Amino acid sequence: MAAARVMVSASNTLTASLLSKGPLRRPNSFTLSFKNGTAQKRRIFTCSAIYNPQVQAKEEGQPETLDYRVFFTDNSGRKISPWHDIPLHLGDGVFNFVVEIPKESSAKMEVATDEQHTPIKQDTKKGKLRYYPYNINWNYGLLPQTWEDPSFANSEVEGAFGDNDPVDVVEIGENRGKIGQVLKVKPLAALAMIDEGELDWKIVAISLDDPRASLVNDVDDVEKHFPGTLTAIRDWFRDYKIPDGKPANRFALGNKPANKDYALKVITETNESWAKLVKRSIAAGELSLV
């Protein structure tokens, strides 16, 4: 049985930012922040964005059907992409995280990177909806404006090539997210998963709203305040394909989670890869850039 369906209200308001309306999103060297009514420039690697607190996640179709989609719109009703149009950086080591799969659920939801506006849908295999063999124990989703380049061989991770998707996040906080919810998180660690030969990073993070968020700032803090969690995450992602008759996934970097600094390095590099993608410096193939 799939876990309880998560309904996304049409009135669900998310805090996010939107890119300029042009079809080509050009990376810039600064974004605007507002403090005491004064605009200030901050040097970060992102796209120029306009702050807008009225982004909504709206579902179309019925959950657990092939037609089900969760689209994102701005306050004018214009569809936007959760992958391309929600900014990555929030400053001070804080990032936006888009929930695809709420904790304690099993429907394999993901951003449709090959569909216009990249809505969230349930993944399929041979025309059938996909479910994990058991519930995932953490909120799971993506970092917007990141991309694991399938043409880049990472020499630090066995020369593995990227999996052609945004970077995944495992959010370990106690609250259960909702499909399409945007959370502010801080990265704590990184796991270098090798899935059928492809590099599939898992960034371990925590929502700033979690009661223990102030206690965890790096990989060692996770083990102290969430004992056993890093091992449980690794083992879950290592084994979840075995019931389908596939081999276990592997982990590089000594089969251990890398620290926060390494996680930030991964985020920076994959943000740069995404920027090259949307500038069309790298062929997009079937990926949607809208």
Side-chain angles (χ1 to χ4, degrees), residues 68-213:
Y68 181 69
R69 298 290 186 275
V70 177
F71 284 95
F72 289 68
T73 63
D74 62 18
N75 59 357
S76 70
R78 183 177 66 95
K79 286 182 178 178
I80 63 166
S81 165
W83 180 20
H84 302 308
D85 294 333
I86 293 176
L88 172 64
H89 298 270
L90 290 170
D92 299 324
V94 178
F95 300 86
N96 277 320
F97 157 59
V98 181
V99 179
E100 294 170 303
I101 305 174
K103 67 189 298 184
E104 306 308 332
S105 65
S106 64
K108 194 175 186 302
M109 309 299 296
E110 62 179 26
V111 162
T113 58
D114 59 348
E115 295 184 13
Q116 191 171 21
H117 307 301
T118 64
I120 296 174
K121 69 171 186 177
Q122 188 167 349
D123 191 23
T124 60
K125 183 177 182 180
K126 297 181 179 179
K128 295 184 179 180
L129 297 172
R130 291 187 66 187
Y131 295 89
Y132 291 123
Y134 28 73
N135 285 352
I136 191 167
N137 306 123
W138 312 273
N139 294 314
Y140 187 57
L142 66 97
L143 286 175
Q145 299 186 346
T146 61
W147 180 55
E148 298 187 49
D149 184 354
S151 69
F152 173 69
N154 192 317
S155 60
E156 297 180 6
V157 189
E158 303 178 10
F161 292 87
D163 70 350
N164 203 32
D165 281 325
V167 171
D168 296 326
V169 172
V170 183
E171 194 277 314
I172 63 174
E174 65 180 34
N175 294 324
R176 187 173 190 263
K178 300 177 181 178
I179 298 176
Q181 187 174 14
V182 180
L183 300 177
K184 298 177 181 179
V185 299
K186 57 180 178 179
L188 304 169
L191 285 161
M193 190 174 90
I194 307 295
D195 181 356
E196 299 182 21
E198 295 180 335
L199 177 56
D200 187 2
W201 287 108
K202 307 299 179 189
I203 302 297
V204 180
I206 190 167
S207 169
L208 296 191
D209 293 331
D210 190 82
R212 289 180 281 180

